[in-house]
Amino acid sequence: MRVAALASGRGSNLAALIAARLPIEFVLVGSDKASAGALAVAAESGIPTVALNPRDYATRTDFDRALFGRVADAGADLLVLAGFMRIIDAGVVADWEGRAINVHPSLLPKYRGLHTHRRCLEAGDAEHGASVHFVTAELDGGPVVAQARIPVRQDDTEASLATRLLVEEHRLLPAVVGAIASGRLRWEGGAVFDGDPLTTPLDITELL
Ligand code: GAR
């Protein structure tokens, strides 16, 4: 399975995916930021990289078409959004239905968007978590495939929650990509796991 990833930031989820040594081939890592750590992570592993600057494009759609065009040209079967912090044009996303996944630091459908750890603390939640979902035009809104959960402690801060959750993200994302690579998880107009339509998100333990 040929995998491309898009990332805007430091790239720790990408690094975890590479370190998992799954039976996949990384064909491209792309970013909207030339300075993204994820590009350095990819380059260290000999993975081709591309950075396009949104300011070089007249519209958001033009930029998305260009970046996703590069992903398509690389021959990716699966696109992993690993900390890609942009809203993507609906028409561009539609071309990747069932072939793109995103990792998000909340128990979706709770806390789409930014500041998920802060919002979890402010709500007084007893648990927090991370989700991997298929990407649709709705930001952080596509069908959730799998989640990992952590308890929220009395003394947790935004930073401590983020640190503990990141460890779980680093297990969750490779587990889901591994399930897709092995054929356990498929897209047939909706997520299908072990031959049955996925009606509720899997717990990470079901994938390990
Ligand atoms: C991760 O926490 C990921 O879940 C989040 O960005 C971070 C990227 O970290 N993604 C989103 O918030 C997407 N809505 P990384 O660059 O170290 O992998």
Side-chain angles (χ1 to χ4, degrees), residues 9-13 83 85 103-105 140 166 169:
R10 75 200 140 178
S12 72
N13 275 287
M85 304 304 276
V103 58
H104 182 74
D140 302 322
L166 198 59
E169 292 185 42

